[in-house]
Amino acid sequence: MAFKQQFFLLKNQRTFWLILSLFIIVIVANTLSLFHSANAFFYSNLAQLTHSQKSNVVIIESEHLSRDHNVLVEQLLTYNPKAVVVLANEQLSYFKSEGQGPEQKVFYPHPNNAYCLPAISDWSGYNVELVAMSKSLCKPVWPALFSDLDLDNNLLINFSLSPSALPKFTATRLMTMDIMASQLEEKVVIIGQKNVGLGVTLNAPKLQHSSNYLLLTAYIADTLNKNNAVVMLSKLQSTFLLLAIAFLLLFAFQKLSINYSIFLVLTLIASWFTLGYFTLILQQLFLPVGQMSILTLFSLLWVILVRKLNEDSQLISLIGNIQQKMAGRYLPKSFTLQSSPWDAIIRLVNQQLALNKSIFLARKEGDHRLSEIRAVNCQLSDIKEMRRDYKREPYSEALKAFGVIPIDRPFFENIEDGEVQYIVPLIYAGDVRGFWAMTVTPDENFNQQAFEKNVNAFAAQIGELLFHYRIFESQTDANNSALSQLLTLRLKEPLSQQVKVSIAEMEQKLTTLEHVFNNIRSATVLFNLFGQVVQINQSLEKLATKHQFSIFEMTALDLLCLVTDLDLEAAKGKLRFITLQKGDIYLEAHIDNKTYILNVRAMDSANVQSASGEPFQVSGILFEFIDLAFFIEKMPNSKQLCDSINEQQKCYMQSLAEQTN
C-alpha cells in the first residue's frame, strides 16, 4: 500500500515522467541499435592502438593463379602447412599427383565447391564483422580449419596484428624454394591472385588504404586461429549496463553544479575510452564505448533540461506570488526607469524653489548645440535669446563661473519690472548636460547669497541625475539592441530577470517600510507569540540603552511586568486578552523617573497571505512607548497645546459622565 501511495504521488510529477522517459529512450535506442555507429567509431580508434607482431597465417600471391595453383599447392604441401586455402573467383580444384598424400589440408572455398567462405558484413561503416556461420547457406571453411569456434554469433575481426607482421610471399619465391621451411610449417597458407581486390577500399582498422581481399581473409584466419575474436555484449547486457550508468549519472549530476558536471562528463568519456581499451586487449571484449559516451553527455543535457523546466515553473510561480503580494501597493518608478527625467526634475524644482519662470535646455549629444526641453510657468517660445551654442554668451559665462550668474541681456520675453534673470549650467564630472534659466522677483526678505547657494546646490544635483540617466540610457540601448539580445539569448526577457525586478520592487518597498519604522519617534518593539523579539526601532534602542535593560533577553510578559504596575497574573491576562480578542490596550508605563503611554496591541495576520500557520492568526504583539512630554516640548507653543489638551480632556470627561447618568 505504501508503495502504491508513493507511486501515485510520483506519477503526478513532471520530473518523474521526464526521468522515466530518459530510461525509455535508452532502452529503445539500444534495442534499435541507433548509436552502434558510435561504437564502431570508437572500436576503430581503439583497434589502432592495439599491436601484435606474430601470426601463423601466410599469404602467397600468384601472377597466374588459374594455371599454377595445382603446382603451388603441391609445392606447399612439401612444407607441411597446417592448411592451404586457395581463393579464386572461378571454380578450381586440386588434382593430386601419384604418390601424394590426402588432400584434407587443401581447401578451395567457392559457392560451387564443398566449402565456402562465410559472409562478412560492414559494421556501421567503420569495421568488418564475421556473420554467424550457422546462418551460412553453404559449408563454412573456417570450422574445418579451426575447432572450438562460436558459430552462432557475429564476431568482430581482431585487427591487433600489424599489417607489416603478416608474412607475404610471391609464387615465384615458392617455386624457386626461396622460402625457409619454418616460414610455412604448421601455418595457414592463403593463396590468391595478385592485385585482385574488392574494387573498393576496405573500411577496416589498419586496412583503410588497401583493397586487397587477401589481407582481410588473412586477418579473419589470424583472428580465428588465435581464438581472439572480439565479442560484444548482448542487447540485454548492454541495456542493463546503460541503464545503470544513466541512474548513477542522474544521481551525480543532481549533486554537482553545471561546471563540475561538465568536468565529470569529460573525465568519464576519457575513462570509458580507457576502460574499453583494456577490456579489448585483455578480454577481447568490446564495451559499447560510443553509447556510453553519448549517454553520459545526453544525461547531462537531460538533467539540465529537467532543471530548466522545474526552475521555470518555480520562477513563474514565484513571480505570480510576488505580483500578487505587490498588488495594490503603489511603488513609484526610480528616476532612471522613467521615460523622461525632466518631469521628475520639474516636480522637484516646483516643490522646493519659489521661481517665477524656468526653462531647461539640454546639450545635444556629441555637439555644443543646445535645445529647449521644458518650461515652467512660461512657454518655450518665451525665450528671447536666439543663441543655442554654449560656447557663446550667456552660457559661456555661466560655465566660466561654474555656477549661477545673473543675465544682463534679455533672455526671456516680457520681463516684468524688478524681475531678475539667472542662468546656471547643469554639469557633473566635467560633462555639460544642459543649462537652467530662471527668473525671480526679489523682495525685502530676498537673500541673494542664499538664493545662489541653493540654486547651485540644486543645479549640481540635477546635473548628476542627468549624467547618470544618460549613462543608464546608453547602457540600456546597447543591451537592448537586437544583435546584443540575440548574442546573449535575451530576445525574450528571461524569467530570472523578471524575478530580479519583482524582488527588487519588494526590497524597495520593504526597505522603505523598515526605514519608516526605524525613524518613528515612538519607541516600538514587536514580539512574536513565542516570546522572541522580531523587530525594534532606533527609539526603542535608545530607550533600552538609557534605562539599561536588555530587550533581546526579554519576552513580552517580562517587558510588560517591568514597565507597569501589573503583577504576573494580571500581565498574563492582558496578553491573553490581546492574543485571543486581538485587543488593543493603553497603560501607564514607568521606567525610572520617566512616564510613558504604553500601547500594546495584536498584529492581526488574518488578511496576510504569507502568515498562514500563525497561532490564533496573530503575527505578533506590538509595544509602543509614547513619550508625550517629548512631543509637547518640541511644539512651538507648548503652553497653548497643554491648555488645549486640558480643555479637550474636560469635555471628554463631561461627555463620559453624561453617558453614565
Side-chain angles (χ1 to χ4, degrees), residues 510-511 513-518 524-528 532-538 540-541 551-552 621-623:
L510 179 61
T511 302
L513 294 177
E514 287 182 342
H515 183 70
V516 170
F517 178 78
N518 206 36
T524 307
V525 56
L526 177 65
F527 291 91
N528 62 17
Q532 298 165 313
V533 175
V534 176
Q535 192 169 1
I536 64 174
N537 64 357
Q538 286 184 353
L540 196 283
E541 288 183 8
I551 186 63
F552 289 101
I621 299 176
L622 186 70
F623 283 63

Side-chain angles (χ1 to χ4, degrees), residues 93 134 218 383 483 522 524 580 648:
S93 60
S134 59
I383 302 179
L483 180 60
S522 300
T524 307
L580 298 179
Q648 291 181 10

Side-chain angles (χ1 to χ4, degrees), residues 229-233 276 278-287:
V230 178
V231 180
M232 296 179 292
L233 295 178
F278 283 107
T279 56
L280 181 63
I281 63 174
L282 298 177
Q283 299 293 330
Q284 285 77 50
L285 173 65
F286 176 65
L287 297 176

Side-chain angles (χ1 to χ4, degrees), residues 313-324 499 502-503:
S313 177
Q314 293 174 4
L315 289 177
I316 291 174
S317 176
L318 181 60
I319 292 171
N321 292 336
I322 293 176
Q323 290 177 346
Q324 186 176 6
V499 172
S502 299
I503 292 178

Side-chain angles (χ1 to χ4, degrees), residues 69-113:
H69 71 93
N70 207 64
V71 178
L72 293 174
V73 170
E74 287 186 357
Q75 185 68 28
L76 281 173
L77 291 176
T78 62
Y79 288 91
N80 193 27
K82 179 178 181 179
V84 177
V85 180
V86 182
L87 302 181
N89 294 331
E90 56 184 315
Q91 185 179 6
L92 301 176
S93 60
Y94 172 59
F95 298 96
K96 295 181 290 184
S97 302
E98 293 185 6
Q100 281 287 349
E103 58 175 276
Q104 63 270 19
K105 291 185 177 182
V106 182
F107 300 90
Y108 284 82
H110 190 272
N112 297 325
N113 289 341

